[in-house]
Short mmCIF file of all heavy atoms in Angstrom, two decimals:
data_model
loop_
_atom_site.label_atom_id
_atom_site.label_comp_id
_atom_site.label_asym_id
_atom_site.label_seq_id
_atom_site.Cartn_x
_atom_site.Cartn_y
_atom_site.Cartn_z
N GLU B 1025 -155.38 60.17 14.24
CA GLU B 1025 -156.08 58.95 14.63
C GLU B 1025 -157.19 59.20 15.67
O GLU B 1025 -158.29 58.67 15.56
CB GLU B 1025 -155.07 57.95 15.18
CG GLU B 1025 -155.44 56.50 15.05
CD GLU B 1025 -155.39 55.98 13.63
OE1 GLU B 1025 -154.72 56.60 12.79
OE2 GLU B 1025 -156.03 54.96 13.37
N SER B 1026 -156.88 60.04 16.66
CA SER B 1026 -157.87 60.25 17.71
C SER B 1026 -159.07 61.07 17.22
O SER B 1026 -160.08 61.17 17.91
CB SER B 1026 -157.22 60.94 18.91
OG SER B 1026 -156.65 62.15 18.49
N PHE B 1027 -158.96 61.65 16.05
CA PHE B 1027 -160.07 62.44 15.51
C PHE B 1027 -160.93 61.63 14.54
O PHE B 1027 -161.88 62.14 13.98
CB PHE B 1027 -159.54 63.67 14.76
CG PHE B 1027 -158.93 64.71 15.65
CD1 PHE B 1027 -157.60 64.66 15.99
CD2 PHE B 1027 -159.71 65.73 16.15
CE1 PHE B 1027 -157.05 65.62 16.82
CE2 PHE B 1027 -159.17 66.69 16.98
CZ PHE B 1027 -157.83 66.63 17.31
N LEU B 1028 -160.56 60.38 14.33
CA LEU B 1028 -161.26 59.58 13.33
C LEU B 1028 -162.13 58.50 13.95
O LEU B 1028 -161.81 57.98 15.00
CB LEU B 1028 -160.25 58.89 12.41
CG LEU B 1028 -159.37 59.76 11.53
CD1 LEU B 1028 -158.38 58.88 10.78
CD2 LEU B 1028 -160.19 60.56 10.55
N ARG B 1029 -163.19 58.17 13.26
CA ARG B 1029 -163.95 56.97 13.62
C ARG B 1029 -163.27 55.82 12.87
O ARG B 1029 -163.59 55.56 11.70
CB ARG B 1029 -165.40 57.11 13.18
CG ARG B 1029 -166.11 58.24 13.92
CD ARG B 1029 -167.53 58.41 13.45
NE ARG B 1029 -167.95 59.77 13.64
CZ ARG B 1029 -168.95 60.15 14.43
NH1 ARG B 1029 -169.64 59.27 15.08
NH2 ARG B 1029 -169.25 61.42 14.55
N THR B 1030 -162.30 55.21 13.54
CA THR B 1030 -161.43 54.27 12.83
C THR B 1030 -162.18 53.03 12.36
O THR B 1030 -161.72 52.36 11.44
CB THR B 1030 -160.25 53.84 13.73
OG1 THR B 1030 -160.76 53.60 15.03
CG2 THR B 1030 -159.19 54.89 13.78
N ASP B 1031 -163.32 52.74 12.95
CA ASP B 1031 -164.07 51.57 12.49
C ASP B 1031 -164.62 51.79 11.08
O ASP B 1031 -165.00 50.85 10.40
CB ASP B 1031 -165.20 51.24 13.47
CG ASP B 1031 -166.07 52.44 13.75
OD1 ASP B 1031 -165.53 53.55 13.85
OD2 ASP B 1031 -167.31 52.28 13.86
N ARG B 1032 -164.67 53.06 10.64
CA ARG B 1032 -165.18 53.33 9.29
C ARG B 1032 -164.07 53.41 8.24
O ARG B 1032 -164.32 53.70 7.09
CB ARG B 1032 -165.95 54.64 9.29
CG ARG B 1032 -167.17 54.55 10.15
CD ARG B 1032 -168.08 55.71 9.92
NE ARG B 1032 -169.24 55.59 10.78
CZ ARG B 1032 -170.28 56.38 10.73
NH1 ARG B 1032 -170.30 57.37 9.87
NH2 ARG B 1032 -171.29 56.21 11.54
N MET B 1033 -162.83 53.24 8.68
CA MET B 1033 -161.72 53.28 7.74
C MET B 1033 -161.53 51.90 7.11
O MET B 1033 -161.81 50.90 7.75
CB MET B 1033 -160.43 53.69 8.46
CG MET B 1033 -160.47 55.07 9.05
SD MET B 1033 -160.41 56.30 7.76
CE MET B 1033 -161.75 57.36 8.27
N PRO B 1034 -161.02 51.76 5.90
CA PRO B 1034 -160.65 52.84 4.98
C PRO B 1034 -161.88 53.57 4.44
O PRO B 1034 -162.95 52.99 4.30
CB PRO B 1034 -159.92 52.09 3.86
CG PRO B 1034 -160.43 50.70 3.90
CD PRO B 1034 -160.76 50.44 5.32
N HIS B 1035 -161.68 54.84 4.14
CA HIS B 1035 -162.81 55.66 3.71
C HIS B 1035 -163.13 55.42 2.22
O HIS B 1035 -162.40 54.73 1.52
CB HIS B 1035 -162.49 57.12 3.97
CG HIS B 1035 -161.18 57.58 3.41
ND1 HIS B 1035 -160.90 57.51 2.07
CD2 HIS B 1035 -160.07 58.10 4.00
CE1 HIS B 1035 -159.69 57.98 1.86
NE2 HIS B 1035 -159.15 58.33 3.02
N ILE B 1036 -164.20 56.05 1.75
CA ILE B 1036 -164.65 55.80 0.37
C ILE B 1036 -163.94 56.68 -0.65
O ILE B 1036 -164.16 56.52 -1.85
CB ILE B 1036 -166.17 56.03 0.23
CG1 ILE B 1036 -166.52 57.48 0.55
CG2 ILE B 1036 -166.96 55.07 1.07
CD1 ILE B 1036 -167.71 57.99 -0.24
N TRP B 1037 -163.15 57.64 -0.20
CA TRP B 1037 -162.55 58.58 -1.15
C TRP B 1037 -161.55 57.87 -2.06
O TRP B 1037 -160.81 56.98 -1.64
CB TRP B 1037 -161.89 59.75 -0.41
CG TRP B 1037 -162.87 60.53 0.41
CD1 TRP B 1037 -164.12 60.90 0.01
CD2 TRP B 1037 -162.71 61.02 1.74
NE1 TRP B 1037 -164.74 61.59 1.03
CE2 TRP B 1037 -163.90 61.67 2.08
CE3 TRP B 1037 -161.67 60.98 2.65
CZ2 TRP B 1037 -164.09 62.29 3.32
CZ3 TRP B 1037 -161.85 61.59 3.89
CH2 TRP B 1037 -163.04 62.23 4.21
N CYS B 1038 -161.51 58.29 -3.31
CA CYS B 1038 -160.67 57.65 -4.32
C CYS B 1038 -159.19 57.82 -3.99
O CYS B 1038 -158.82 58.73 -3.26
CB CYS B 1038 -160.92 58.26 -5.69
SG CYS B 1038 -162.62 58.23 -6.20
N PRO B 1039 -158.33 56.97 -4.56
CA PRO B 1039 -156.89 57.15 -4.35
C PRO B 1039 -156.45 58.53 -4.85
O PRO B 1039 -156.76 58.89 -6.00
CB PRO B 1039 -156.27 56.05 -5.21
CG PRO B 1039 -157.34 55.05 -5.40
CD PRO B 1039 -158.62 55.78 -5.35
N GLY B 1040 -155.80 59.29 -4.00
CA GLY B 1040 -155.31 60.60 -4.41
C GLY B 1040 -156.30 61.73 -4.24
O GLY B 1040 -155.98 62.88 -4.54
N CYS B 1041 -157.50 61.44 -3.78
CA CYS B 1041 -158.49 62.51 -3.52
C CYS B 1041 -157.94 63.43 -2.44
O CYS B 1041 -157.36 62.97 -1.46
CB CYS B 1041 -159.80 61.89 -3.07
SG CYS B 1041 -160.99 63.11 -2.52
N GLY B 1042 -158.17 64.73 -2.61
CA GLY B 1042 -157.57 65.68 -1.68
C GLY B 1042 -158.32 65.85 -0.37
O GLY B 1042 -157.83 66.53 0.53
N ILE B 1043 -159.48 65.25 -0.23
CA ILE B 1043 -160.30 65.54 0.96
C ILE B 1043 -159.60 65.04 2.23
O ILE B 1043 -159.58 65.73 3.25
CB ILE B 1043 -161.71 64.92 0.83
CG1 ILE B 1043 -162.40 65.49 -0.41
CG2 ILE B 1043 -162.54 65.22 2.06
CD1 ILE B 1043 -163.69 64.81 -0.77
N GLY B 1044 -158.98 63.85 2.15
CA GLY B 1044 -158.26 63.32 3.31
C GLY B 1044 -157.15 64.25 3.76
O GLY B 1044 -156.92 64.43 4.96
N THR B 1045 -156.47 64.85 2.79
CA THR B 1045 -155.39 65.79 3.12
C THR B 1045 -155.94 67.00 3.87
O THR B 1045 -155.33 67.47 4.83
CB THR B 1045 -154.70 66.24 1.81
OG1 THR B 1045 -154.32 65.09 1.08
CG2 THR B 1045 -153.50 67.09 2.08
N THR B 1046 -157.11 67.48 3.45
CA THR B 1046 -157.69 68.63 4.16
C THR B 1046 -158.09 68.23 5.58
O THR B 1046 -157.99 69.05 6.50
CB THR B 1046 -158.91 69.21 3.43
OG1 THR B 1046 -159.97 68.27 3.46
CG2 THR B 1046 -158.60 69.57 2.00
N VAL B 1047 -158.51 66.97 5.75
CA VAL B 1047 -158.87 66.52 7.11
C VAL B 1047 -157.61 66.50 8.00
O VAL B 1047 -157.67 66.88 9.17
CB VAL B 1047 -159.56 65.13 7.08
CG1 VAL B 1047 -159.78 64.59 8.48
CG2 VAL B 1047 -160.88 65.22 6.35
N ASN B 1048 -156.48 66.09 7.42
CA ASN B 1048 -155.21 66.14 8.16
C ASN B 1048 -154.93 67.56 8.64
O ASN B 1048 -154.58 67.77 9.81
CB ASN B 1048 -154.05 65.71 7.26
CG ASN B 1048 -153.95 64.22 7.12
OD1 ASN B 1048 -154.25 63.49 8.05
ND2 ASN B 1048 -153.55 63.76 5.96
N CYS B 1049 -155.06 68.51 7.73
CA CYS B 1049 -154.78 69.91 8.07
C CYS B 1049 -155.75 70.40 9.14
O CYS B 1049 -155.36 71.11 10.07
CB CYS B 1049 -154.91 70.80 6.83
SG CYS B 1049 -153.77 70.33 5.54
N PHE B 1050 -157.00 69.99 9.00
CA PHE B 1050 -158.03 70.40 9.95
C PHE B 1050 -157.71 69.89 11.36
O PHE B 1050 -157.77 70.65 12.34
CB PHE B 1050 -159.37 69.86 9.47
CG PHE B 1050 -160.53 70.14 10.37
CD1 PHE B 1050 -160.91 71.43 10.63
CD2 PHE B 1050 -161.25 69.10 10.95
CE1 PHE B 1050 -161.99 71.70 11.47
CE2 PHE B 1050 -162.32 69.35 11.78
CZ PHE B 1050 -162.69 70.65 12.04
N THR B 1051 -157.30 68.62 11.45
CA THR B 1051 -156.99 68.07 12.78
C THR B 1051 -155.75 68.73 13.37
O THR B 1051 -155.72 69.02 14.56
CB THR B 1051 -156.80 66.56 12.73
OG1 THR B 1051 -155.83 66.26 11.74
CG2 THR B 1051 -158.06 65.83 12.41
N ARG B 1052 -154.75 69.00 12.53
CA ARG B 1052 -153.55 69.70 13.02
C ARG B 1052 -153.93 71.09 13.52
O ARG B 1052 -153.39 71.56 14.52
CB ARG B 1052 -152.50 69.82 11.93
CG ARG B 1052 -151.39 68.80 11.96
CD ARG B 1052 -151.84 67.41 11.76
NE ARG B 1052 -150.80 66.46 11.40
CZ ARG B 1052 -151.05 65.28 10.87
NH1 ARG B 1052 -152.30 64.89 10.65
NH2 ARG B 1052 -150.09 64.45 10.58
N ALA B 1053 -154.82 71.75 12.79
CA ALA B 1053 -155.25 73.09 13.21
C ALA B 1053 -155.98 73.02 14.55
O ALA B 1053 -155.80 73.87 15.41
CB ALA B 1053 -156.14 73.71 12.14
N LEU B 1054 -156.80 71.98 14.74
CA LEU B 1054 -157.53 71.82 16.00
C LEU B 1054 -156.56 71.59 17.15
O LEU B 1054 -156.70 72.14 18.24
CB LEU B 1054 -158.51 70.65 15.93
CG LEU B 1054 -159.75 70.82 15.08
CD1 LEU B 1054 -160.61 69.58 15.17
CD2 LEU B 1054 -160.56 72.03 15.51
N ILE B 1055 -155.53 70.76 16.90
CA ILE B 1055 -154.55 70.47 17.95
C ILE B 1055 -153.78 71.73 18.30
O ILE B 1055 -153.65 72.10 19.47
CB ILE B 1055 -153.58 69.36 17.49
CG1 ILE B 1055 -154.32 68.03 17.29
CG2 ILE B 1055 -152.45 69.17 18.50
CD1 ILE B 1055 -153.53 66.97 16.56
N ASP B 1056 -153.30 72.43 17.27
CA ASP B 1056 -152.45 73.60 17.51
C ASP B 1056 -153.23 74.77 18.12
O ASP B 1056 -152.67 75.56 18.86
CB ASP B 1056 -151.78 74.04 16.21
CG ASP B 1056 -150.74 73.02 15.75
OD1 ASP B 1056 -150.33 72.19 16.59
OD2 ASP B 1056 -150.35 73.05 14.58
N SER B 1057 -154.50 74.89 17.77
CA SER B 1057 -155.26 76.01 18.33
C SER B 1057 -155.87 75.64 19.69
O SER B 1057 -156.59 76.44 20.29
CB SER B 1057 -156.34 76.45 17.36
OG SER B 1057 -157.24 75.40 17.13
N LYS B 1058 -155.60 74.42 20.17
CA LYS B 1058 -156.08 73.96 21.48
C LYS B 1058 -157.58 74.16 21.64
O LYS B 1058 -158.06 74.64 22.66
CB LYS B 1058 -155.32 74.66 22.61
CG LYS B 1058 -153.83 74.38 22.56
CD LYS B 1058 -153.13 74.89 23.81
CE LYS B 1058 -151.69 74.48 23.86
NZ LYS B 1058 -150.87 74.92 22.75
N GLN B 1059 -158.31 73.81 20.60
CA GLN B 1059 -159.77 73.91 20.64
C GLN B 1059 -160.33 72.94 21.68
O GLN B 1059 -159.86 71.82 21.78
CB GLN B 1059 -160.34 73.52 19.27
CG GLN B 1059 -160.37 74.62 18.26
CD GLN B 1059 -161.50 75.58 18.50
OE1 GLN B 1059 -162.48 75.25 19.17
NE2 GLN B 1059 -161.37 76.78 18.00
N ASP B 1060 -161.33 73.39 22.41
CA ASP B 1060 -162.05 72.49 23.30
C ASP B 1060 -162.98 71.64 22.43
O ASP B 1060 -163.94 72.15 21.85
CB ASP B 1060 -162.86 73.32 24.31
CG ASP B 1060 -163.59 72.43 25.29
OD1 ASP B 1060 -163.49 71.18 25.17
OD2 ASP B 1060 -164.27 72.97 26.19
N LEU B 1061 -162.67 70.34 22.34
CA LEU B 1061 -163.41 69.50 21.39
C LEU B 1061 -164.84 69.24 21.85
O LEU B 1061 -165.68 68.80 21.07
CB LEU B 1061 -162.67 68.17 21.17
CG LEU B 1061 -161.28 68.30 20.57
CD1 LEU B 1061 -160.68 66.93 20.32
CD2 LEU B 1061 -161.28 69.10 19.27
N ASN B 1062 -165.12 69.52 23.12
CA ASN B 1062 -166.50 69.38 23.58
C ASN B 1062 -167.35 70.57 23.17
O ASN B 1062 -168.55 70.56 23.33
CB ASN B 1062 -166.53 69.25 25.10
CG ASN B 1062 -165.91 67.94 25.54
OD1 ASN B 1062 -166.10 66.92 24.89
ND2 ASN B 1062 -165.15 67.98 26.62
N LYS B 1063 -166.66 71.61 22.70
CA LYS B 1063 -167.41 72.79 22.25
C LYS B 1063 -167.15 73.04 20.78
O LYS B 1063 -166.89 74.16 20.36
CB LYS B 1063 -166.99 74.00 23.08
CG LYS B 1063 -167.51 73.93 24.49
CD LYS B 1063 -167.35 75.21 25.23
CE LYS B 1063 -168.06 75.10 26.57
NZ LYS B 1063 -167.56 76.08 27.50
#
Side-chain angles (χ1 to χ4, degrees):
Chain B
E1025 207 72 19
S1026 57
F1027 290 88
L1028 295 176
R1029 295 178 208 242
T1030 42
D1031 53 321
R1032 295 193 181 187
M1033 297 288 132
H1035 52 59
I1036 61 149
W1037 299 318
C1038 304
C1041 172
I1043 301 170
T1045 307
T1046 67
V1047 173
N1048 280 326
C1049 300
F1050 177 62
T1051 53
R1052 261 63 163 197
L1054 288 182
I1055 295 167
D1056 292 342
S1057 61
K1058 299 190 173 59
Q1059 275 283 339
D1060 182 359
L1061 298 183
N1062 293 322
K1063 288 192 173 159

